[in-house]
Amino acid sequence: MTNPSDPEPQPSITPSPETRGYQFGTFKGVFTPSILTILGVIMYLRFGWVLGNVGLPLTLLIVTMACSITFLTGLSIAAMATNMKIGAGGAYFMLSRSFGLEAGAAIGIPLFFAQALGIAFYVTGFSESVVDLFPMLDPKMVGVVTLLALTALAYKSADLALKSQFVILAFIALSLISFFMGGTPSGIQAEVVTPPITSSFWVVFAVFFPAVTGIEAGIAMSGDLKNPARSLPVGTIGAVITGYAVYLAIPIFLNSVVHDRNLLLTDTLIMRQVARFGHLVILGLWGASLSSAMGSLLGAPRTLQALARDGILPRFLGKGYGKGDDPRVATAVAFGLATATILAGDLNMIAPVLSMFFLTSYGLLNTASALEQLIGSPSWRPTFRIPWFISAAGAIGCLAVMLMINAGATIIAVIITSLIYTVMQRRRLSANWGDIRYGILMLIIQNIVYRLSGKVPDERTWRPNILVLSGVPTTRWYLIELADAIAHGNSLLTVATVLPPEGQRVRQVTETIQNYLDKQRVTALVKIVRAPTPLQGAYQLVQTYGFGPIFPNTILIGETERTENMEEYAILLNAIHRNHKNVIIVREGRIPPTWHQDLRIDVWWGRERKNANFMLALAYLLETSRAWRHAHLVLNTIVTSPDQKEEAERTLSKLIEAGRIEAEPVVHVSRQDEVFNVIREASRGSNLVFLGIRPPDRDETTEAYAAYYQSLIERTEDFPPLALVMAAESIEFHRIFRA
């Protein structure tokens, strides 16, 4: 048997070494990459189509709804950024420090792939627009050459790459100026034989929404900012507000100069037709495509670098170079993935899934911010404060948009995220930073405990919440094994050990036992108390263990055969009964292995209904466990006269029928003084015998009840594995088996 004192070593993750990075300011590090991704290809190629489909009022509503979700997410990011020291990795860093490594990895890994494939998506969009003007070129070759140029720029220096984005920003600004200086296009008419098919509001919303999801580009640069706590809120919210203003102005102006709805629906370059200088719109379109690609090319490697430095991915991927700690290895990986995607061709199938991962990260950022505020931990002290319901609204909005854009892609994203989370859990990585998971569970438990206060469990919802007084698990493992088979993860199970007043540290023993239980796949809490003797410690646990309405209703203990302990043991049984807790006293015996097919459980009914129905409930729970699934249940009783046998058989049959259980009724005839011999002989082949014991009488002395218990132990000598049961809880156990 495994020694519980030698717990399995767990890998530990130390925080990644702090790096100074480039020390970018707000404008260069956050605002520029964010606004360039927001003012992207959808603005140039789909705004006329949106306006033509739903008209100006609904277009403005779509813009407002979409930007509101992004704005709410920006507020949540602002709150989180001003409450923690932000390192490299952007959304991954925030989520892993809030929800733990598993959740961070579940989002961070897909987010890296989304960013990397997003590079290919934007580059392909650029190459296709170039080929439209120069048909002799191969779009894949143009895409690869463009990607090489962008990667060389990013590989050289992120600072140089971001400086180049100022030029792109200037192109976009000039294109917008040219657009608003334009007027009604002359000589342009839609060549339409049949009216174009229009789309519904939510379809149009789904097409437009990705246009406002560009704040990830700015968040991804978090590790290269001089002051992330200031730059992330100001830069992100500033980019969202700027984008919103531009997106309101474009449809208003477009609606005033273009009155042909068919033209809006069919001409994807309507902005070029309206502009004073149409070629500036083409430059802006190219700039938007390239800037979005560059934003992803800078963000994806930094996400991968952060994942590697936290030990989730191989460490070599996190290596940095130069004064800016440039992730060149990670950049090479992102380049290879993007190149393969460009050469693979059509990206339309993966585009919805990419949006899902961005939206999932936004939704979780909002969720983390809302939960931090609801939990109200003293550590939550952001300098930028918002009400919790604002972040919650952002999370709900993200989920709603995901389902509207593509329900299938949403399901795929959830499945992939869940699989990664499960793998990370099995790796059992541990991090040297705190997260909010404990706080979330405490918030849930707090509300549940308050709601349960004053409520009494009934027969319909009853379960045995078991406290196992096992001592060291390896010495009386059969107690834990039986308790786990009864609870099998559906009831609360606590394994308790009593330590002497001096000696081992409670925390160390608790961790050792918990690790041992985890290895044995037993779901249980561990409770350690100090007391002069094990029985005194058990008495203390029976009297005090529990929290409010949540406490053990069933005590499972081993038998004692020492004469000197009988009176103290009787005091313990009396205390259990007076506290209205059930007791199961187990004589040593091993639970059968799960592969055993010929198991048998014997329940002996002494005509005391409470014990009998409690034993039936325990036997039924055993039968539903993995170890006892094929057990044969025998319900026994003893009568003193053959004349009573037929009536007793009918009573047992009715009990079995009413209880909807599978059991064999058996009635034995015996004299009163031979009862234990009959039980011993009849249950000789049983794997577990349940036998009821009487509670102490109100006026019975400790010595008298100790003598009764000692006599019971002596009479059941040589029995198969035995569970002596006394029901004391204020539950009508027979109602559990009422038809």
Side-chain angles (χ1 to χ4, degrees):
M1 184 170 288
T2 309
N3 189 343
S5 64
D6 298 320
E8 181 181 346
Q10 298 182 13
S12 177
I13 304 302
T14 56
S16 55
E18 184 177 349
T19 56
R20 304 271 316 160
Y22 283 99
Q23 301 290 286
F24 291 138
T26 302
F27 187 76
K28 181 190 289 188
V30 181
F31 180 84
T32 300
S34 295
I35 193 63
L36 288 179
T37 309
I38 290 173
L39 302 179
V41 293
I42 290 178
M43 178 183 75
Y44 287 101
L45 300 179
R46 287 293 181 270
F47 236 135
W49 178 84
V50 171
L51 182 62
N53 271 286
V54 298
L56 181 61
L58 291 182
T59 296
L60 297 180
L61 178 61
I62 287 173
V63 170
T64 301
M65 289 173 58
C67 289
S68 295
I69 293 173
T70 306
F71 180 70
L72 294 176
T73 304
L75 294 178
S76 297
I77 291 170
M80 296 179 69
T82 57
N83 187 69
M84 66 170 69
K85 183 175 179 59
I86 303 295
Y92 159 73
F93 183 91
M94 292 183 179
L95 292 174
S96 63
R97 271 57 179 178
S98 293
F99 291 118
L101 274 175
E102 298 91 345
I107 293 300
I109 293 174
L111 187 59
F112 161 71
F113 280 99
Q115 290 169 327
L117 297 179
I119 301 168
F121 187 80
Y122 296 126
V123 168
T124 299
F126 168 77
S127 64
E128 288 180 356
S129 65
V130 171
V131 172
D132 284 342
L133 294 178
F134 305 99
M136 74 291 300
L137 298 177
D138 178 24
K140 291 184 180 180
M141 186 57 63
V142 173
V144 171
V145 171
T146 303
L147 179 59
L148 277 170
L150 293 175
T151 305
L153 193 59
Y155 200 83
K156 178 67 176 175
S157 167
D159 184 43
L160 183 61
L162 287 180
K163 284 179 179 177
S164 70
Q165 295 209 98
F166 292 151
V167 177
I168 296 173
L169 183 61
F171 284 159
I172 293 176
L174 288 173
S175 71
L176 290 173
I177 292 171
S178 174
F179 170 73
F180 288 113
M181 288 175 61
T184 303
S186 58
I188 303 294
Q189 293 184 351
E191 298 180 2
V192 179
V193 178
T194 58
I197 298 173
T198 57
S199 300
S200 66
F201 175 86
W202 291 116
V203 171
V204 174
F205 181 91
V207 170
F208 173 78
F209 184 79
V212 299
T213 59
I215 57 175
E216 193 77 46
I219 303 172
M221 299 302 295
S222 57
D224 292 283
L225 300 176
K226 182 178 181 179
N227 186 356
R230 180 183 183 278
S231 295
L232 283 174
V234 174
T236 301
I237 295 174
V240 174
I241 293 174
T242 302
Y244 179 53
V246 172
Y247 281 161
L248 284 180
I250 288 176
I252 292 174
F253 182 75
L254 199 58
N255 186 69
S256 68
V257 298
V258 180
H259 306 291
D260 187 344
R261 185 185 184 190
N262 289 337
L263 186 61
L264 292 171
L265 288 170
T266 56
D267 191 346
T268 57
L269 284 174
I270 187 63
M271 288 182 66
R272 180 187 182 188
Q273 308 300 337
V274 171
R276 175 69 62 87
F277 306 105
H279 59 276
L280 288 178
V281 172
I282 296 299
L283 287 178
L285 172 59
W286 288 352
S289 303
L290 294 176
S291 65
S292 298
M294 180 59 76
S296 297
L297 191 54
L298 292 175
R302 282 161 174 77
T303 300
L304 186 63
Q305 185 181 49
L307 286 162
R309 287 182 171 178
D310 282 345
I312 293 170
L313 297 175
R315 296 268 185 185
F316 75 91
L317 295 172
K319 190 173 183 180
Y321 297 84
K323 69 173 185 177
D325 196 38
D326 290 304
R328 293 179 181 173
V329 177
T331 300
V333 174
F335 168 79
L337 186 58
T339 301
T341 308
I342 290 172
L343 295 176
D346 186 17
L347 299 176
N348 291 335
M349 293 181 63
I350 63 170
V353 179
L354 303 187
S355 296
M356 294 308 105
F357 288 125
F358 285 117
L359 282 167
T360 302
S361 67
Y362 293 171
L364 285 178
L365 287 170
N366 281 303
T367 302
S369 176
L371 288 173
E372 287 275 24
Q373 294 167 78
L374 281 173
I375 292 168
S377 300
S379 62
W380 178 251
R381 303 186 309 278
T383 56
F384 186 96
R385 289 187 174 273
I386 57 173
W388 70 269
F389 57 82
I390 289 181
S391 296
I396 294 170
C398 288
L399 177 61
V401 167
M402 288 173 68
L403 293 172
M404 285 184 294
I405 290 177
N406 192 318
T410 301
I411 294 172
I412 293 173
V414 169
I415 291 173
I416 293 173
T417 301
S418 301
L419 287 174
I420 297 174
Y421 184 89
T422 302
V423 171
M424 290 299 111
Q425 272 193 319
R426 290 184 177 179
R427 288 181 61 186
R428 301 176 70 183
L429 297 174
S430 60
N432 294 333
W433 62 77
D435 54 58
I436 66 173
R437 286 178 292 181
Y438 184 86
I440 294 171
L441 294 175
M442 282 300 298
L443 178 65
I444 295 171
I445 291 172
Q446 169 188 314
N447 284 281
I448 291 174
V449 168
Y450 286 147
R451 292 178 71 88
L452 283 175
S453 181
K455 291 182 171 59
V456 179
D458 56 31
E459 296 78 12
R460 186 178 181 86
T461 58
W462 178 85
R463 286 186 177 279
N465 296 329
I466 304 174
L467 173 65
V468 186
L469 302 171
S470 64
V472 179
T474 52
T475 59
R476 284 189 165 184
W477 179 249
Y478 62 91
L479 296 178
I480 300 174
E481 208 167 14
L482 179 60
D484 181 54
I486 294 172
H488 52 267
N490 293 325
S491 303
L492 286 176
L493 174 60
T494 303
V495 175
T497 296
V498 179
L499 294 180
E502 303 293 336
Q504 294 174 288
R505 291 183 300 174
V506 170
R507 182 173 181 179
Q508 180 182 0
V509 175
T510 301
E511 290 177 353
T512 300
I513 294 176
Q514 189 69 67
N515 290 335
Y516 183 72
L517 293 175
D518 290 344
K519 285 183 186 177
Q520 304 299 324
R521 297 185 178 180
V522 172
T523 303
L525 303 173
V526 176
K527 179 65 178 178
I528 308 293
V529 296
R530 292 191 183 277
T533 69
L535 286 173
Q536 289 181 35
Y539 184 88
Q540 176 183 333
L541 284 164
V542 168
Q543 297 277 38
T544 62
Y545 180 65
F547 185 79
I550 303 174
F551 53 85
N553 57 25
T554 302
I555 312 299
L556 194 150
I557 55 178
E559 90 289 358
T560 181
E561 296 178 343
R562 295 182 181 179
T563 304
E564 64 272 20
N565 290 340
M566 288 298 175
E567 289 192 14
E568 193 174 2
Y569 199 83
I571 291 173
L572 174 62
L573 294 180
N574 195 12
I576 294 173
H577 185 263
R578 282 189 289 103
N579 281 274
H580 302 289
K581 300 180 189 295
N582 314 306
V583 66
I584 306 171
I585 306 169
V586 182
R587 184 188 292 276
E588 183 169 359
R590 176 157 178 78
I591 298 298
T594 57
W595 46 263
H596 203 295
Q597 298 294 316
D598 301 317
L599 305 179
R600 182 175 133 204
I601 302 171
D602 277 15
V603 174
W604 286 87
W605 183 27
R607 305 301 178 90
E608 198 286 308
R609 293 188 67 188
K610 193 161 191 174
N611 273 353
N613 286 282
F614 178 53
M615 289 188 291
L616 277 179
L618 296 176
Y620 172 76
L621 290 172
L622 276 178
E623 285 184 306
T624 59
S625 71
R626 183 181 178 186
W628 292 84
R629 188 163 296 161
H630 303 288
H632 174 60
L633 176 59
V634 180
L635 181 56
N636 300 272
T637 192
I638 297 177
V639 295
T640 56
S641 168
D643 297 337
Q644 300 171 322
K645 185 174 182 180
E646 186 175 348
E647 178 62 27
E649 287 176 344
R650 281 199 299 268
T651 301
L652 290 182
S653 297
K654 287 181 180 179
L655 180 62
I656 292 169
E657 182 180 357
R660 303 184 303 279
I661 56 177
E662 293 184 7
E664 176 188 354
V666 178
V667 178
H668 306 269
V669 181
S670 171
R671 297 199 313 268
Q672 194 69 35
D673 58 348
E674 294 182 350
V675 166
F676 287 97
N677 291 331
V678 171
I679 296 174
R680 181 182 293 104
E681 188 62 31
S683 294
R684 187 177 299 278
S686 178
N687 299 101
L688 182 63
V689 177
F690 282 106
L691 187 63
I693 61 174
R694 70 169 178 84
D697 294 330
R698 180 174 298 179
D699 300 325
E700 189 173 13
T701 64
T702 299
E703 294 82 359
Y705 195 69
Y708 162 73
Y709 171 76
Q710 185 172 0
S711 172
L712 193 61
I713 292 297
E714 290 171 354
R715 292 182 179 185
T716 55
E717 192 75 34
D718 301 329
F719 266 45
L722 176 66
L724 300 172
V725 174
M726 179 171 61
E729 193 178 357
S730 301
I731 288 286
E732 298 293 336
F733 286 104
H734 68 277
R735 293 186 178 178
I736 296 176
F737 297 99
R738 178 177 292 176

